[in-house]
Amino acid sequence: MWRVTLRNAVAHPARLALTLLAVALGIMFVTGTLVLTDTSGRALDAQFRTAAAGTDLTVRRATAFDDAMGVEVERDPLPAATLERVRAVPGVADAQPAARGQALLTAGGRTLVPSGASLLRSWTPEPFNAFAVRTGRPPLTAAEVVLDAATAREYHVALGDTVTVQAASTAALRVVGLAWFGDRPGLPDTTVALVTLPAAQRLLGLGDGVPEIAVAVAEGATVAQVRQRLAERLGADAEVVTGQDVAAASAAAAKGQVGYLRAMLLALAGAALLVGGFLIANTFAVVVGQRTRELAVLRAAGATGRQLLASVLGEAALIGAAASAAGIGLGVAAAAGLRALAGRVGVPLPDGDLVLLPRTVAAAAVIGVVITVAAAVAPARRAARIAPVEAMREAMLEARTGPATNRARALGGALVTLAGAAALGVVLAGRGSLGLLGAGALVTVGGLTLLGPAIAPVLARVTGRPLDLAGVPGRLARQSAARAPRRTAATAMALALGLTLIGFVAVVGTSVRSAIRQSYGETITADYVIESSRNEMLGGLPPDVQHHVAALDEVAVASRLRYGHWKDGTMTSALTAVDPATLPRVTSLHLVAGRLDALAGGGVILAERVARGRGLTVGDTLPMTFARTGEQRLPVAGLLRDADAQALSTDYIIGLDTYARLYAEDVDASVFVRLADGADPAAARRAIEAALAGTPTAQLRDQAEAVAGRTRGVDEILGVTTALLLFTVAIALLGITNTLALSIVERTREIGLLRAIGMSRTQLRWMVRGEAVLVAVLAVVIGVALGLGFGAGAVTALGSSTPLAVEVPFGRLALIVAVATVAGLVAGLLPARRAARLDVLDAISRA
């Protein structure tokens, strides 16, 4: 039987290739995702291990938590006297102060800003410094700087050039050296400037304090001993951690966004594998039907049903193994492309040699084989039930299913589909969650899969009416699709799943964009918004930007916003800090309780739905944990309309004075500007842009530009996700090609008879193409309907926590319909060509 299995697997190379490709594309997603994230994780681990290689211990200010949402918190500097206290501890061989922070670098009128951040660090001697100067020398005075070699090469900066460094203060520094980070010319996506400690303290506004102290342990002492002694000497205000712990925590924070990317890509890979599973199941169902007589002969010759079952599943396992191998190879190649896509959605990943772990190979192989074998189980069971008497029949498996079985299948499918529709109805009524929607979606897809053969003939006859305009070929195409309901339904469902996901993403993305645009336009009344051109959520604008703009005669008020993170139990949340005195002049806020000026007393304003969910009202207190100060109980000063809170980007709002007490960061995220009465808009814009000339990354935007900046991220994610989902559509189109090609074999005699009674090759080709288009149209009808329903349900469920309204992207959906229809026509080209090339006499002679 194994020889029979191998012969059947390789007997039809075209069918084998299409089936292999369907599985391989899904495995490519899985492998590419794991290779990409493993590569990034290893690069980040190596990067931070290198940075801490010469440091046994690090002393820094204690905080309640180290990072939030993938961003390390900023700590207050240690007092200058801490350094001598550390050096006096027994077992400390050496201790060096170090300072680091964010800065803006410009040279020759250009901003030295790659896709990541600009890092300003103080130069420390070996063994504490991971940077090695390979060209020039280290900085010796406060007027000198060393750049990483990668940035210098990219922006053509040479020794002796002047670089302007802007942080809390600004200085023009002369480049005296170019440094490498380990064996690399720099850090990934980061510009690094190395200066003397006094220069770093002045530029970062640290006074004589230092953010951290690097410690080397003396011979004869252990790291654990010295760590305990330092902790006892310095007290609870300082934190003493090992170099390995610092490296691991920094790498974990940096890898936070990589985890989100992995989850998204693996979800898309799952969708591709699901569509591929439909294709495999349909292919094996048709093949088993065509081999009914052959399988019956094997039964008559003594083969058992178990042997036939093993033969079909063995063939599926062989295909799955081969597809997994191909998918692994394609995935490694695709990792570079996925890295570029990650950059498009704001997750720049470090470069490095691709990492293919044994775990990735094993996972891809197991997934490929399991998916393929699982999809072939039902056709294999049908093969095992074939009786020897079937050798005398010509009927295919498609026609052999009994009426009772069809009725039971249709009834079960109808009941399951109604259950899924009921769950969707509950969600659309505003009484369900995303979890219920997900369960309803799975149930609905399962129900439609069962119900498909019962409704496919009706849908084919209805949606195929326009094909009658093509004459006889069109009518025959419609009848052919209706005559094989199981094959038509399975092929259409595979494509419908891909279109459902695209429609779902389009509805949700468009609704989110519309909500952002509407809430921002209604709430923000400022004439202009100043923001960082890099769109940093946590800042990017030096505080003097607001002062310079507010001092202009053309400006009536300039109100700043800042963002921060806090711990809400085990979860991390964000908050917005505002100036309650100036914010009402640049916004139109609607408080349903309390007063905005009460923020000056140290309170917090909550979005109305948050207060309702927590059971809080004005006068109650909210426990909030901050990295710098630990847990604080802030009084609830007011409740804000949900749409207005969305415009300010968070559900928690505090005053700037409270922010200064709770956070070490001193950068603004946005500055809202209202022009003075009678000011000429054009002249005012020129004056503001002139005031911003010293801050190249500060960008002046009007209302439309500000809204576009906020929705750009949604657009990029929507575009990248849609592009990736098109792979699932491509897999489904392979299914149409494969199924039609197999049906040509099944209908060889029928095609010969049509040719014998006068049908031309051209008419025959159009008949097959028409059937492909009809299957695509069926998939469009089902997919768009499901995508709209599930998308509307998701928006409704999200609306319970974020103000959202369902927005249907009719233009995008029309494009999806057009592309899918044309793609269906293309998918039918090869089968149509094969049918037209059949020899008439040979085809008629087929039994």
Side-chain angles (χ1 to χ4, degrees):
M1 288 301 297
W2 285 111
R3 285 195 297 270
V4 173
T5 299
L6 183 60
R7 176 182 60 82
N8 289 329
V10 300
H12 303 282
R15 182 191 79 202
L16 177 65
L18 288 173
T19 310
L20 280 173
L21 186 57
V23 182
L25 287 176
I27 297 300
M28 179 190 73
F29 257 119
V30 175
T31 305
T33 298
L34 295 178
V35 167
L36 176 65
T37 53
D38 289 341
T39 299
S40 301
R42 179 171 291 186
L44 291 170
D45 286 336
Q47 168 186 322
F48 288 104
R49 277 199 306 270
T50 301
T55 302
D56 295 317
L57 294 169
T58 297
V59 180
R60 58 190 185 185
R61 179 75 71 172
T63 57
F65 53 88
D66 294 331
D67 66 272
M69 296 183 179
V71 178
E72 291 189 75
V73 299
E74 188 170 328
R75 304 166 187 265
D76 284 335
L78 295 165
T82 307
L83 178 61
E84 294 306 320
R85 296 176 62 192
V86 169
R87 287 174 171 168
V89 171
V92 173
D94 190 12
Q96 291 291 333
R100 62 176 178 172
Q102 300 294 315
L104 173 68
L105 276 65
T106 57
R110 291 192 305 163
T111 304
L112 308 187
V113 181
S115 57
S118 297
L119 180 63
L120 177 66
R121 296 176 58 118
S122 62
W123 175 267
T124 53
E126 292 184 355
F128 302 108
N129 197 346
F131 289 89
V133 175
R134 295 196 180 184
T135 304
R137 60 172 175 79
L140 300 177
T141 71
E144 297 175 343
V145 64
V146 169
L147 294 182
D148 65 281
T151 297
R153 181 174 62 245
E154 180 178 357
Y155 293 95
H156 307 290
V157 178
L159 297 182
D161 290 349
T162 299
V163 171
T164 300
V165 180
Q166 182 179 19
S169 61
T170 303
L173 308 179
R174 185 168 60 90
V175 178
V176 297
L178 303 179
W180 281 55
F181 183 79
D183 60 351
R184 296 184 178 275
L187 291 173
D189 302 306
T190 305
T191 292
V192 179
L194 303 168
V195 298
T196 61
L197 178 63
Q201 291 172 320
R202 176 173 56 82
L203 287 167
L204 295 172
L206 301 176
D208 59 356
V210 291
E212 60 187 42
I213 299 172
V215 177
V217 175
E219 292 185 10
T222 66
V223 172
Q225 290 173 339
V226 177
R227 181 181 184 182
Q228 182 176 358
R229 293 168 188 166
L230 285 169
E232 292 172 352
R233 176 70 62 89
L234 300 177
D237 289 339
E239 178 183 53
V240 184
V241 293
T242 65
Q244 292 85 350
D245 289 340
V246 171
S250 299
K255 288 189 286 188
Q257 290 184 322
V258 179
Y260 299 138
L261 179 67
R262 173 185 289 197
M264 182 186 76
L265 291 177
L266 287 179
L268 295 175
L273 288 170
L274 180 61
V275 172
F278 268 89
L279 187 157
I280 296 163
N282 198 28
T283 299
F284 273 92
V286 175
V287 169
V288 169
Q290 292 174 357
R291 290 164 50 193
T292 299
R293 175 177 289 186
E294 174 191 337
L295 295 172
V297 170
L298 289 173
R299 287 297 308 276
T304 65
R306 180 172 295 181
Q307 285 177 317
L308 293 184
L309 177 68
S311 175
V312 176
L313 293 181
E315 184 179 347
L318 287 175
I319 292 175
S324 296
I328 291 170
L330 291 172
V332 173
L338 291 175
R339 178 184 286 153
L341 286 175
R344 289 289 305 275
V345 297
V347 187
L349 300 178
D351 294 326
D353 297 332
L354 294 179
V355 176
L356 181 61
L357 298 179
R359 177 256 297 158
T360 300
V361 175
V366 170
I367 291 171
V369 173
V370 168
I371 290 290
T372 310
V373 172
V377 165
R381 292 180 61 190
R382 295 192 200 105
R385 292 197 297 266
I386 293 175
V389 73
E390 297 293 339
M392 295 180 291
R393 300 184 180 180
E394 296 182 10
M396 296 300 174
L397 194 63
E398 180 82 41
R400 289 176 58 252
T401 307
T405 303
N406 287 336
R407 284 195 296 269
R409 180 188 179 100
L411 179 60
L415 293 176
V416 173
T417 303
L418 287 175
L424 176 59
V426 171
V427 175
L428 289 174
R431 300 175 183 174
S433 64
L434 286 175
L436 179 61
L437 177 66
L442 293 176
V443 169
T444 302
V445 171
L448 286 175
T449 302
L450 294 173
L451 188 61
I455 63 174
V458 178
L459 290 176
R461 293 188 181 97
V462 173
T463 58
R465 286 290 180 188
L467 290 177
D468 290 351
L469 299 176
V472 173
R475 289 195 295 271
L476 288 175
R478 181 159 58 92
Q479 292 169 6
S480 177
R483 196 168 63 243
R486 180 172 294 173
R487 184 180 68 211
T488 300
T491 308
M493 275 302 298
L495 180 55
L497 284 176
L499 296 176
T500 296
L501 292 172
I502 292 177
F504 171 84
V505 170
V507 171
V508 174
T510 302
S511 299
V512 171
R513 289 182 71 256
S514 178
I516 293 174
R517 186 185 301 108
Q518 182 176 354
S519 63
Y520 192 86
E522 291 179 353
T523 303
I524 308 302
T525 60
D527 297 303
Y528 291 106
V529 179
I530 302 172
E531 296 172 308
S532 170
S533 58
R534 292 178 288 174
N535 293 314
E536 294 100 333
M537 176 67 177
L538 293 182
L541 298 177
D544 59 355
V545 166
Q546 187 266 347
H547 296 301
H548 294 327
V549 173
L552 296 174
D553 294 336
E554 294 85 354
V555 172
V557 62
S559 183
R560 65 177 64 183
L561 263 71
R562 294 183 172 186
Y563 296 108
H565 291 138
W566 60 282
K567 286 286 186 179
D568 185 7
T570 59
M571 303 293 292
T572 301
S573 295
L575 58 77
T576 303
V578 302
D579 180 1
T582 59
L583 188 64
R585 301 176 63 185
V586 292
T587 61
S588 177
L589 299 180
H590 301 81
L591 270 71
V592 297
R595 296 170 56 86
L596 185 65
D597 56 13
L599 288 179
V604 58
I605 290 178
L606 308 179
E608 186 179 11
R609 60 177 178 76
V610 171
R612 185 168 55 248
R614 291 176 176 268
L616 297 174
T617 186
V618 175
D620 295 338
T621 58
L622 175 67
M624 306 174 73
T625 301
F626 301 93
R628 183 185 186 190
T629 60
E631 182 175 312
Q632 304 286 316
R633 303 188 68 87
L634 271 61
V636 178
L639 307 181
L640 183 64
R641 191 178 67 168
D642 292 336
D644 295 348
Q646 184 184 52
L648 296 178
S649 300
T650 66
D651 296 325
Y652 305 87
I653 301 168
I654 63 174
L656 287 174
D657 54 349
T658 306
Y659 185 94
R661 177 170 56 87
L662 299 174
Y663 291 89
E665 290 84 355
D666 188 26
V667 289
D668 296 332
S670 302
V671 176
F672 294 143
V673 178
R674 175 173 288 280
L675 300 182
D677 293 338
D680 177 61
R685 179 157 195 155
R686 288 193 297 271
I688 297 173
E689 289 175 343
L692 299 177
T695 311
T697 57
Q699 189 172 72
L700 182 64
R701 298 168 175 168
D702 58 23
Q703 277 275 2
E705 293 166 339
V707 170
R710 279 158 176 73
T711 58
R712 187 177 298 116
V714 177
D715 291 337
E716 290 174 349
I717 294 174
L718 179 61
V720 169
T721 305
T722 301
L724 292 175
L725 285 174
L726 287 176
F727 278 102
T728 66
V729 174
I731 295 172
L733 292 173
L734 289 176
I736 295 178
T737 301
N738 206 19
T739 303
L740 284 177
L742 291 171
S743 74
I744 298 302
V745 176
E746 179 182 317
R747 294 151 55 190
T748 298
R749 190 173 186 184
E750 170 194 332
I751 292 170
L753 291 172
L754 289 173
R755 291 279 287 118
I757 62 175
M759 177 174 276
S760 67
R761 293 181 186 273
T762 300
Q763 288 176 315
L764 185 59
R765 281 195 292 266
W766 278 112
M767 181 188 75
V768 178
R769 294 168 188 163
E771 187 175 349
V773 170
L774 180 55
V775 171
V777 170
L778 285 176
V780 166
V781 171
I782 298 171
V784 170
L786 292 179
L788 284 174
F790 297 151
V795 172
T796 303
L798 290 171
S800 62
S801 59
T802 303
L804 287 175
V806 178
E807 185 87 8
V808 179
F810 290 105
R812 187 181 293 268
L813 292 179
L815 180 61
I816 292 172
V817 171
V819 170
T821 304
V822 173
L825 179 62
V826 173
L829 292 178
L830 288 177
R833 183 182 179 187
R834 179 179 180 182
R837 296 173 63 182
L838 289 175
D839 182 82
V840 176
L841 294 179
D842 182 62
I844 294 175
S845 66
R846 295 289 181 91

